[in-house]
Amino acid sequence: MRTVRTPFRSPRALTPTARVRRLRRRITVLFALTSAVGLVAMAALAVRSDGVRWREQLDQAMSADTNWALGLLETDEDGRLDTEVLLDNAGTACPPLFLLAARDTATDLVVEHAPRRPCLTVAPASVQRAALAAVRADDPRSLDARTTEGEPVRMFALPFYPPDAEEDAEPQGVLVTVADASAPRADHRRLTWVVTGGCALLVLLSAGVGHLLSGRAVRPALEVLDRQEAFLTDAAHDLRTPAASLRTLAETALRGETDSTDVHRRTLRLAEGMGTLVDGLLTRARLMSGTAVLAVEPLRLDQLVEAVIEDTAAGGPVTVRAEQAVVVAADPDLVRRAVANLVGNALVHGHRPGEPAEVEVTVRGEEATATVTVEDAGPGLPPEVAGALFDRFRSGSGSTGLGLSIASWVAHAHGGGLTAEPGRRGGARFVLRLPAGGPPAP
């Protein structure tokens, strides 16, 4: 049985584009986590501060009531508490006020007075616990508790001492008051939910903003990677055919099936074609990456076009109509390449089968724009490629279309443009526009 082996690919072997996109996701998550930590810390501080605030407000109110009640307590000649004045002048039912007196020791507390019908019913154990906490700490104490019905309350305990007591004397008793905490707790709970929802909303918003910002940050890297992949694809696509032709030609020469002179001639022609392709690919890569520095200088566009036609057409059927002294500020090498590509494209594709090419080149100058129009008498532009004629690998005859794309990039690099439209004689007309004042500042 034959075993088919498939190449192993590590799950971590990501493409550069995938790595950049993964980096964007990580930046988004990091931005959201950083925002979340800050927001959660601020929310926790706000909730805690609100909880302390409403407790302090209740404690201050209960402290004032308890100290006022403490001023109404009296002591008889035997040192015993006299609560008659307190009970006659203070309403101890609402808020409830409890009086606990110490017997044998300070911690042995007995309830001397409890309201008969308090507005808040608290278990005696809760009152005893609050009083013991104040006695042991020898200081006013407050704590959270519950009524017998389960409603939240706040309890305040204030120890008091006999008249003319020494500093180390034990408390004579404790006053305990109770305040309703249901309304402040409800407000605190609502604030907690509002802060929590606001934090969640802000974290989501920060994640979206982080995603947008990280996208803008990695966009140049993605564009560079796309251009690099496009360049490698172009190079492989354009060099595959001449390389295969050279290999076939070499194999034929080794077998002695053809004349050596013919082999050398065809080899030289293929080498020149490959050199032109490599030069065009490098030019396109420099233009797309933005590394091509424009050597801008004033030049006579009409003279440049005439020189290009002399080199490209070599006395072929090309008619030139140029105005005198059409001057532009541009890169001579790049403009020469763009014009040569347009004329060469017209000579190759701008004629019908069995008929010679007829190309007409017109150079005009205006106040703000100089134009080079290349028109042929060929079959015209196919509708299916007219919209993407200047993209790579697109042309009217199945070739790579690299020359037209380079011409378009040269025009845009100078702040101009390249358009294609039907010609007067049924063929194609390409119009290269260059600004008279030169390319715009980068």
Side-chain angles (χ1 to χ4, degrees):
M1 182 177 180
R2 185 179 180 182
T3 303
V4 179
R5 294 183 178 181
T6 58
F8 174 75
R9 177 175 295 179
S10 173
R12 296 185 179 181
L14 299 176
T15 62
T17 302
R19 292 179 182 177
V20 172
R21 289 174 178 169
R22 184 176 64 178
L23 176 62
R24 180 188 181 184
R25 292 192 294 269
R26 290 182 176 179
I27 293 175
T28 302
V29 173
L30 182 61
F31 191 86
L33 287 178
T34 304
S35 302
V37 170
L39 290 173
V40 168
M42 294 179 61
L45 180 62
V47 171
R48 184 177 180 277
S49 299
D50 183 73
V52 172
R53 178 191 58 79
W54 72 262
R55 286 180 172 86
E56 288 180 348
Q57 289 178 350
L58 285 181
D59 292 346
Q60 291 176 0
M62 290 188 296
S63 176
D65 293 341
T66 307
N67 280 281
W68 179 76
L70 182 60
L72 300 179
L73 284 177
E74 297 180 354
T75 305
D76 58 13
E77 297 178 354
D78 298 331
R80 291 179 298 180
L81 287 174
D82 185 2
T83 61
E84 183 176 355
V85 177
L86 173 64
L87 299 178
D88 291 342
N89 293 275
T92 61
C94 195
L97 179 66
F98 298 87
L99 174 63
L100 291 85
R103 295 304 183 187
D104 298 334
T105 61
T107 57
D108 184 14
L109 298 174
V110 178
V111 178
E112 287 286 342
H113 168 72
R116 295 181 180 180
R117 296 179 180 179
C119 56
L120 298 171
T121 305
V122 184
S126 299
V127 177
Q128 193 79 12
R129 183 168 62 253
L132 287 176
V135 169
R136 290 169 181 171
D138 196 19
D139 195 38
R141 292 292 169 180
S142 57
L143 53 86
D144 294 325
R146 295 273 179 181
T147 64
T148 55
E149 291 82 10
E151 296 296 328
V153 294
R154 186 77 173 165
M155 303 184 69
F156 183 83
L158 176 66
F160 58 89
Y161 300 85
D164 301 329
E166 298 179 358
E167 294 183 358
D168 56 349
E170 294 185 349
Q172 188 179 10
V174 181
L175 285 175
V176 179
T177 185
V178 182
D180 185 10
S182 58
R185 276 187 175 274
D187 294 338
H188 179 70
R189 191 180 301 111
R190 282 193 296 269
L191 176 65
T192 302
W193 281 110
V194 170
V195 170
T196 302
C199 286
L201 183 61
L202 289 177
V203 168
L204 292 177
L205 181 61
S206 65
V209 172
H211 188 69
L212 293 177
L213 293 179
S214 61
R216 296 189 63 177
V218 303
R219 187 178 303 163
L222 290 175
E223 292 177 353
V224 170
L225 290 174
D226 291 340
R227 287 195 293 264
Q228 180 182 3
E229 292 178 1
F231 173 75
L232 294 177
T233 303
D234 290 352
H237 182 274
D238 288 344
L239 296 177
R240 185 181 295 112
T241 300
S245 300
L246 280 176
R247 179 174 180 177
T248 303
L249 189 60
E251 292 175 352
T252 303
L254 287 176
R255 291 195 299 267
E257 298 178 358
T258 184
D259 183 31
S260 60
T261 303
D262 183 56
V263 170
H264 292 161
R265 186 183 302 107
R266 294 169 62 186
T267 302
L268 178 60
R269 186 167 59 252
L270 287 173
E272 291 176 351
M274 291 183 67
T276 303
L277 283 176
V278 172
D279 191 18
L281 289 171
L282 292 178
T283 302
R284 190 191 72 83
R286 291 169 56 233
L287 288 173
M288 291 190 65
S289 62
T291 58
V293 180
L294 300 181
V296 179
E297 62 183 52
L299 60 91
R300 288 280 301 272
L301 185 59
D302 54 319
Q303 295 178 355
L304 183 142
V305 171
E306 291 175 354
V308 168
I309 291 175
E310 289 181 1
D311 296 337
T312 304
V318 179
T319 304
V320 181
R321 296 180 180 178
E323 296 180 357
Q324 295 295 329
V326 180
V327 180
V328 295
D331 189 318
D333 294 333
L334 292 179
V335 175
R336 183 179 292 108
R337 178 177 295 277
V339 174
N341 290 343
L342 293 176
V343 175
N345 179 78
L347 290 173
V348 174
H349 310 298
H351 63 90
R352 300 181 186 277
E355 298 180 2
E358 296 181 9
V359 180
E360 181 180 312
V361 181
T362 305
V363 183
R364 287 192 177 93
E366 300 176 359
E367 293 183 359
T369 306
T371 60
V372 178
T373 304
V374 180
E375 185 174 353
D376 58 59
L381 299 176
E384 63 272 10
V385 300
L389 191 62
F390 302 129
D391 296 340
R392 69 181 197 271
F393 305 144
R394 299 301 298 271
S395 71
S397 60
S399 64
T400 61
L402 189 60
L404 294 179
S405 63
I406 290 177
S408 177
W409 287 318
V410 169
H412 286 88
H414 286 81
L418 178 63
T419 58
E421 56 190 23
R424 295 172 299 174
R425 294 178 292 176
R429 177 192 296 170
F430 294 90
V431 181
L432 176 67
R433 292 180 174 85
L434 298 174

